[in-house]
Amino acid sequence: MLSTLQPPRSLTLLPFRRFHGSKTIASLASSSPTLDASFVSPPQSQILTTRRSLLSGETTASEIAKSYLSRIRLTEPQLKCFLHVSENVLKEAQEIDQRISRGEEVGPLAGVVIGVKDNICTEGMPSTAASRILEHYRPPFDATAVKKIKEMGGIVVGKTNMDEFGMGSTTEASAFQVTANPWDLTRVPGGSSGGSAAAVAARQCMVSLGSDTGGSVRQPASFCGVVGLKPTYGRVSRFGLMAYASSLDVIGCFGSTVADAGVLLHAVSGYDRFDSTSSKQDVPEFDTQFLSMDSFESKPLKGVRVGLIRETLEEGVDSGVRSATQEAASHLEALGCVVTEVSLPSFSLGLPAYYVIASSESSSNLSRYDGVRYGNQVMADELNKLYECSRGQGFGGEVKMRILMGTYALSAGYYDAYYKRAQQVRTLIRKDFKAALDHNDILISPAAPSAAYKIGEKKDDPLAMYAGDIMTVNVNLAGLPAIVLPCGLVEGGPSGLPVGLQMIGAAFDEEKLLKVGHIFEQTLKGSGFVPPTLPNVA
Amino acid sequence: MSTTLFRTIQPNHFTLLTTALLRTRTKTSRHISVRCQTSTTTQQPRTSAPKNHGSNKLDEILKDYEAVIGIETHVQLSTSTKAFCSCPNSYGSHPNTSICPVCMGLPGALPVLSSKVVDFGVRLGLALNCSLSLKSKFDRKQYFYPDLPKGYQISQFDVPIASGGYVDVDIPLEFGGGHRRFGITRVHMEEDAGKLLHSDAGDYSQAMIVSKLDLVDLNRAGVPLLEIVSEPDMRSGVEAAEYGSEMQRIVRYLGVSNGNMQEGSLRCDVNISIRPIGQAEFGTKVEIKNLNAFSAMSRAIDYEITRQALLYNQGQADKIVTETRLWDEGAQKTVTMRKKEGLADYRYFPEPDLPEVILTQEYVDSIRASLPELPEAKRRRYEAMGLGIQDVLFLANDVSVAEYFDEVIGKGADVKSAANWLMSDIAAYLKNEELSISDVKLTPHELAELIAAIKDETISGKIGKQITDPVEIEKMIMKVISESPKQLEQYRSGKTKLQGFFAGQVMKMSKGKANPALLNKILLEKLNAKE
């Protein structure tokens, strides 16, 4: 079942469509072999390929691990995706090889090299959420998602960089380092899961875990040209995920293909008795969606109703992004989908509501970082000083700002005007999504209003940065699943910058997103979004 | 769990818990301690005031005022685990041995509610005649303190599990007797905080930290509590103490807590204000903490009523301020612990890590059906059986005594006799031997048979009992000796076998109920005494 993905044969199924955005890189594409659609085959699942080659004896887990470690050594100085690289990678790989050589069963993720965002607890491995206040902190337990990965044979290669506690959209708010975008080293990878997205884009790991509170998986996936999957709230246990905004946080998956993101999601999904907000909904076998190209019918998505969210193509969205989204819609039509425009009247209310709720919850969730039991403590001779100094020196500026905003919003006399009102907006947004999804199987929109921007460009303009979350936050408020996958390139960088398409599904219907996403990806000409700064990538 | 935990956490955490952590306290609390001193000195005359005034004069003053008392009771539940993790809920363990990532508030840890807590909440809510919220929720109460690992307490704010109930109590005869009904505002579920251990100060209170070295013990963090808030219906120390005792009886009858005040399983905080009789508005409210016995509660309240009444009377009502006061058992007075500077803003908001608590009617009904007979029902039943109020209060006070009594009368024993046996002989024996009724070898069945035998005059009622009072035995001995001078002389001249004669006479006089060992011991002393 896992080997249903056959090597692609041809791309004759659909007429080739170029991206006609005002600033597409059609001209660049012809000069760059990596982007010339006629030479690029559809991307292959690395997890499934690994499994096949391990079981057939074609290669060993140790060889795979070594090649990834050497890639990391080679590229890390420029990219800075990782805050910590595990010392146990080779040892774990050798254990898998020994099991295979002894003829023992290995888990479905055996030998899969996985990056884990630094706000997800890994036993004995530093887990700091990229914050000074947790520098050197090593948790005594694995997050449930990590535990599942390990049980299935996955190898955690290291901890990826992020905006401190998930607060940011560029990964510049990390207390330790700034991660570069593999497509253009002067640009941000997006955030907050920027390290996880860039590491997959740069093939430093096969897949990675991120977390998504307001778009922190989807926006960096878009910026880095990889697949980012934000599951339904409750699909994946949050146990071991350092809370930013508990009612919005989900652990999400990155891969270079839809299949990879889907297989990883399947591995980490399911009810967990340690997280009362995790769902008991069945987790279907997503793998069956990842059929090979040659089994596609001429209109493989016939009858699938797709709603293009009108509000996401209005003012404030780059024209290149807009046209790439429209191209994607045409592509879906060509695959048999019925695409219509839908309106979400509450769409623009989401951003302020999101920032009120997320800040409020974070002001509470981050109270535990007081320097008393763990983390960095500044010694003081009185209690308030101990708190002030430990937190004052431990938290970065963005975190402090959000704690202050949240504290304010929850204060007596303001609660009704802010927090309560934001919750009302949330209910409204849920209703609007529900109505739109009653008439459509999926909704589509851009993943972000623009492609990756320059490092430092929005650092001193938080409102501009927050505005960039407009495409994604509503989905968190509604708790719905969404996938972002590359759909085109716009001008910028040495050879163009990727743009992601967001597909939003009904609650717990990741299956449909993966199916549509996979077919979209496998049939998209010009696919194979491999960063130009990384030569010799298989 | 804890050892693994500390081993895997970076080493300096370990030192955090074992070395100086909080050097003394905050500037503000220092100010408080200064103020505390001044206020105690200025209070000195007031404290002694009750003595200076003649008690008649004091009574005159008190007559003009009415106290308004409300009580917040925290009941620590006797669940096997903590409220939101599976750590054992055990009192008196070595510090920080009953902790895990959840109750330590480690990053990424999440609470999971133990269903037993809801169970107990519903039981208590029903026992207090409350209406239950079929849909309630948890909220976060936020403040910083080192014994609060997450920086917030998981509690219930605007939708408690139970509300709008009442409790009926009987005031003991020695305090005037009578029946009272006190309103219950609400019952809600929450978690306890840890404890600060101070190197030199006693385990006094959170804000009275006067130590150089402070340590945190998180064994208690996350232990489930039910907080019961009363209406401001009590008017005196006695009423408040009786309310408290009734809470203790109820939680023990229900088996939701051991209700032990010394261990802190039952903690009462009293809110008290006074107002001139006839005034509708409440006066300024003062909170009293550190009450570890109901007698202390009664005395603390009466002290506080007097203190406030005198201030009123002296035209210094403005000196009654919103504050928390402590009961100082040694000095028998209340002292300022901390003044409240404005209302604390706990920034409550719904706990996003926990789903709503949904109760079905079937579930509530099944719990209602499983409730035991409660103290008030027992008292009324005993009363209806013809027992006097003193007997009733005694028997219903302790659930195991009540159960024993019920078993005895269940075997058909005469009610009044059974009550007498339990209240006099058995109670005295238990008190002397420091035993509880469950330690008694005499089964309820045997006691019932004994009572029946006495009633049938198969045996005399007095045979059933033994005289163990040495004074009474000695009296009888002296009487026998003085009535038998001849035998005494013979005994003293060597005929010691006559001891048996004396013993027999005393036994006869006591109608066979003198304790033989005691009898012989005292008899020998008397016979051998040199004149």
Side-chain angles (χ1 to χ4, degrees), chain A residues 137 140 238 240-241 246 273 276 364-365 367-369 372-375 377 380-383 386-387 411-412 415, chain B residues 8 10 13 16 21-25 27 104-108 111-112 140 142 145-146 149-150 152 345 350 353:
Chain A
Y137 174 73
R238 289 187 295 119
L241 169 66
S246 313
R273 66 190 179 91
S276 333
S364 174
N365 284 328
S367 294
R368 64 184 61 195
Y369 306 107
V372 172
R373 285 145 293 121
Y374 49 80
Q377 179 187 72
D381 55 7
E382 29 175 67
L383 184 54
L386 180 144
Y387 287 142
S411 295
Y415 181 89
Chain B
T8 41
Q10 53 186 119
H13 296 153
L16 283 182
L21 167 58
L22 319 159
R23 317 281 301 173
T24 68
R25 58 230 186 80
K27 264 181 193 157
M104 267 185 88
L106 291 193
V112 177
R140 292 183 181 177
Q142 311 190 68
Y145 206 71
K150 300 186 293 294
Y152 55 83
D345 184 357
D353 287 332

Side-chain angles (χ1 to χ4, degrees), chain A residues 459-506:
Chain A
K459 216 179 168 191
D460 300 320
D461 190 357
L463 284 181
M465 195 184 72
Y466 296 173
D469 299 337
I470 188 141
M471 303 296 175
T472 47
V473 292
N474 288 295
V475 176
N476 296 78
L477 289 170
L480 300 174
I483 192 168
V484 162
L485 61 169
C487 68
L489 294 166
V490 294
E491 203 170 73
S495 53
L497 297 170
V499 168
L501 174 74
Q502 173 172 240
M503 299 177 177
I504 303 161

Side-chain angles (χ1 to χ4, degrees), chain B residues 508-522:
Chain B
K508 197 170 155 193
M509 183 181 283
S510 74
K511 292 179 178 127
K513 61 179 189 167
N515 178 302
L518 207 55
L519 189 160
N520 281 314
K521 184 171 163 268
I522 301 170

Side-chain angles (χ1 to χ4, degrees), chain B residues 203-472:
Chain B
D203 188 15
Y204 213 45
S205 79
Q206 295 187 337
M208 290 283 278
I209 310 164
V210 288
S211 62
K212 300 264 186 301
L213 187 75
D214 299 278
L215 304 168
V216 185
D217 174 11
L218 294 178
N219 281 351
R220 203 179 66 180
V223 163
L225 299 176
L226 287 173
E227 180 176 330
I228 309 157
V229 182
S230 83
E231 289 291 307
D233 287 351
M234 279 72 73
R235 295 289 172 267
S236 66
V238 165
E239 287 189 355
E242 199 47 50
Y243 168 89
S245 317
E246 187 69 3
M247 287 302 138
Q248 187 182 51
R249 279 189 284 272
I250 289 174
V251 298
R252 287 177 173 171
Y253 267 61
L254 293 173
V256 301
S257 168
N258 67 17
N260 188 322
M261 287 185 102
Q262 272 73 43
E263 289 178 10
S265 312
L266 186 93
R267 307 193 285 267
C268 291
D269 299 337
V270 171
N271 283 298
I272 171 167
S273 64
I274 67 166
R275 59 184 172 192
I277 284 174
Q279 180 183 309
E281 316 81 82
F282 293 144
T284 303
K285 187 172 74 176
V286 168
E287 188 184 32
I288 315 176
K289 282 181 182 281
N290 198 36
L291 302 166
N292 53 20
F294 297 122
S295 55
M297 189 160 140
S298 177
R299 276 177 278 132
I301 289 170
D302 290 341
Y303 174 89
E304 191 58 24
I305 293 173
T306 310
R307 184 186 75 88
Q308 293 185 19
L310 287 175
L311 283 174
Y312 255 111
N313 192 246
Q314 291 158 358
Q316 295 182 302
D318 57 329
K319 290 206 173 155
I320 304 170
V321 294
T322 310
E323 62 177 340
T324 300
R325 297 177 71 87
L326 286 180
W327 173 243
D328 183 338
E329 185 68 40
Q332 290 287 300
K333 62 182 188 184
T334 63
V335 293
T336 299
M337 173 174 135
R338 60 166 176 251
K339 310 244 177 194
K340 292 189 175 170
E341 285 141 3
L343 266 177
D345 184 357
Y346 291 117
R347 289 174 285 117
Y348 279 102
F349 80 105
E351 165 59 281
D353 287 332
L354 291 168
E356 288 173 318
V357 180
I358 311 282
L359 310 176
T360 63
Q361 196 55 50
E362 297 80 64
Y363 168 80
V364 173
D365 291 344
S366 74
I367 294 215
R368 194 191 300 273
S370 75
L371 288 184
E373 185 182 34
L374 291 161
E376 172 66 6
K378 265 208 201 310
R379 289 192 296 261
R380 299 289 77 87
R381 181 160 61 83
Y382 293 166
E383 206 173 32
M385 287 170 168
L387 292 174
I389 189 71
Q390 225 136 357
D391 298 17
V392 167
L393 294 187
F394 175 87
L395 292 169
N397 183 51
D398 181 333
V399 64
S400 39
V401 171
E403 277 166 6
Y404 190 99
F405 175 71
D406 283 340
E407 268 194 70
V408 175
I409 59 174
K411 303 283 177 197
D414 174 65
V415 170
K416 188 68 195 165
S417 312
N420 284 345
W421 273 91
L422 273 164
M423 289 184 62
S424 50
D425 301 84
I426 295 178
Y429 171 76
L430 295 180
K431 202 175 171 193
N432 282 337
E433 307 290 318
E434 291 182 351
L435 294 174
S436 82
I437 189 101
S438 52
D439 303 318
V440 172
K441 295 218 169 62
L442 182 72
T443 66
H445 183 70
E446 287 162 352
L447 180 58
E449 284 187 339
L450 183 65
I451 292 171
I454 293 167
K455 202 176 176 193
D456 299 348
E457 295 182 352
T458 317
I459 52 172
S460 130
K462 303 210 168 163
I463 288 176
K465 305 177 184 179
Q466 213 171 47
I467 298 171
T468 51
D469 179 3
V471 178
E472 204 175 324

Side-chain angles (χ1 to χ4, degrees), chain A residues 6-61:
Chain A
Q6 300 300 319
R9 289 185 197 164
S10 66
L11 293 167
T12 50
L13 214 69
L14 289 159
F16 176 58
R17 286 172 182 277
R18 284 235 174 249
F19 307 120
H20 299 302
S22 60
K23 288 183 179 180
T24 57
I25 49 125
S27 51
L28 285 168
S30 54
S31 61
S32 158
T34 43
L35 291 167
D36 193 331
S38 48
F39 293 101
V40 176
S41 49
Q44 275 184 277
S45 160
Q46 299 195 51
I47 294 179
L48 302 181
T49 309
T50 301
R51 185 168 179 81
R52 207 166 40 233
S53 56
L54 277 186
L55 293 182
S56 68
E58 216 172 289
T59 181
T60 64

